[in-house]
């Protein structure tokens, strides 16, 4: 990817949308790893280019690969439910991307080589959108930016200083929550809602 695409100065919605379309076009031609050979669709992003929140997921699944959009399967539908419960609006407040843009075979975790091959596209998305908050959704997304060992149960829900001038937080991946149905206090689903409510509160503080 050219440095010009990464460093484009984006301020308004139209400019950001155009810049992201250029990045997507470059990404569609990418052959930097083997994932391009088995994908049905490039899964570049979903959401608005001037979103306040940028959510980074792991990788596309089968339904995402078919649709060409992230988080449209069971995990995505559950994620939408949590957004709604926390008072967040996916279509108006989120730009959603993944650590890799092509589905790994059998939904396996992306390899380090694949993460590195796709990283410039994700970095460009972050640079262009310039969100107020970045949410790292699940262990794989968190490990892409946090190199030291951690347990997601210990790090989730905390405001972190990972990105310059952008608040960030690690949250549970909805696929994990699909296996944990309890909503009792202290359960993963209970923490997920509390974390997203904290995100909502932080967003409101920017506007006050």
């Amino acid at each position: 990817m050219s440095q010009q695409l990464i460093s484009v100065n984006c301020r308004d919605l139209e400019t950001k949308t155009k810049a992201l379309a250029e990045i997507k076009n470059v990404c569609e031609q990418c052959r930097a790893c083997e994932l391009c050979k088995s994908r049905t669709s490039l899964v570049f992003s979903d959401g608005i280019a001037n979103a306040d929140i940028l959510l980074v997921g792991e990788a596309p699944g089968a339904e995402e690969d078919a649709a060409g959009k992230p988080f449209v399967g069971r995990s995505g539908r559950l994620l939408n439910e949590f957004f709604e419960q926390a008072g967040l609006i996916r279509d108006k407040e989120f730009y959603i991307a993944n650590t890799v843009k092509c589905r790994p075979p059998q939904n396996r975790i992306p390899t380090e080589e694949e993460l590195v091959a796709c990283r410039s596209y994700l970095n460009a998305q972050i640079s262009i959108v310039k969100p107020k908050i970045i949410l790292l959704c699940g262990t794989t997304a968190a490990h892409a930016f946090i190199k030291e060992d951690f347990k997601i149960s210990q790090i989730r829900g905390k405001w972190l200083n990972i990105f310059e001038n952008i608040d960030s937080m690690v949250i549970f991946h909805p696929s994990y929550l699909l296996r944990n149905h309890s909503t009792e206090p202290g359960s993963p689903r209970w923490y997920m809602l509390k974390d997203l409510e904290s995100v909502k509160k932080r967003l409101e503080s920017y506007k006050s």
Side-chain angles (χ1 to χ4, degrees), residues 84-150:
E84 292 173 7
Q85 291 178 53
L88 296 166
I89 305 172
R90 174 168 172 164
D91 294 341
K92 295 182 178 180
E93 295 177 308
F94 285 85
Y95 182 87
I96 301 177
N98 284 315
T99 59
V100 296
K101 313 306 184 190
C102 303
R103 181 195 179 196
Q106 287 77 52
N107 292 347
R108 63 164 172 74
I109 296 173
T111 67
E112 184 64 25
E113 177 186 10
E114 291 159 357
L115 291 171
V116 170
C118 234
R119 184 57 178 269
S120 61
Y121 302 116
L122 179 57
N123 286 347
Q125 288 172 303
I126 294 171
S127 177
I128 292 168
V129 175
K130 292 182 173 64
K132 293 182 173 67
I133 293 172
I134 292 178
L135 297 181
L136 302 176
C137 187
T139 301
T140 299
H143 269 305
F145 295 94
I146 305 171
K147 297 308 178 183
E148 61 266 24
D149 291 336
F150 64 85

Side-chain angles (χ1 to χ4, degrees), residues 28-189:
E28 286 176 335
Q29 312 307 315
C30 180
R31 299 294 182 269
C33 77
E34 295 295 308
L35 293 183
C36 66
K37 297 180 180 179
S38 59
R39 77 184 187 205
T40 300
S41 305
L42 177 78
V43 183
F44 187 72
S45 67
D46 187 35
I48 57 174
N50 62 346
D52 288 333
I53 307 169
L54 192 153
L55 183 140
V56 180
E58 177 182 304
E63 292 186 68
E64 288 76 17
D65 183 48
K69 293 175 64 174
F71 285 104
V72 296
R74 290 181 63 211
S75 292
R77 291 190 290 272
L78 180 59
L79 187 62
N80 293 342
E81 291 178 14
F82 276 101
F83 288 162
E84 292 173 7
Q85 291 178 53
L88 296 166
I89 305 172
R90 174 168 172 164
D91 294 341
K92 295 182 178 180
E93 295 177 308
F94 285 85
Y95 182 87
I96 301 177
N98 284 315
T99 59
V100 296
K101 313 306 184 190
C102 303
R103 181 195 179 196
Q106 287 77 52
N107 292 347
R108 63 164 172 74
I109 296 173
T111 67
E112 184 64 25
E113 177 186 10
E114 291 159 357
L115 291 171
V116 170
C118 234
R119 184 57 178 269
S120 61
Y121 302 116
L122 179 57
N123 286 347
Q125 288 172 303
I126 294 171
S127 177
I128 292 168
V129 175
K130 292 182 173 64
K132 293 182 173 67
I133 293 172
I134 292 178
L135 297 181
L136 302 176
C137 187
T139 301
T140 299
H143 269 305
F145 295 94
I146 305 171
K147 297 308 178 183
E148 61 266 24
D149 291 336
F150 64 85
K151 291 183 178 179
I152 193 167
S153 59
Q154 296 175 340
I155 198 172
R156 51 125 293 272
K158 299 178 180 179
W159 289 108
L160 305 173
N161 184 24
I162 300 173
F163 306 91
E164 185 177 0
N165 299 322
I166 303 175
D167 291 331
S168 59
M169 179 187 289
V170 176
I171 61 174
F172 286 129
H173 196 284
S175 63
Y176 170 68
L177 302 178
L178 285 171
R179 305 189 297 271
N180 294 270
H181 299 284
S182 174
T183 57
E184 294 296 316
S187 68
R189 289 197 181 209

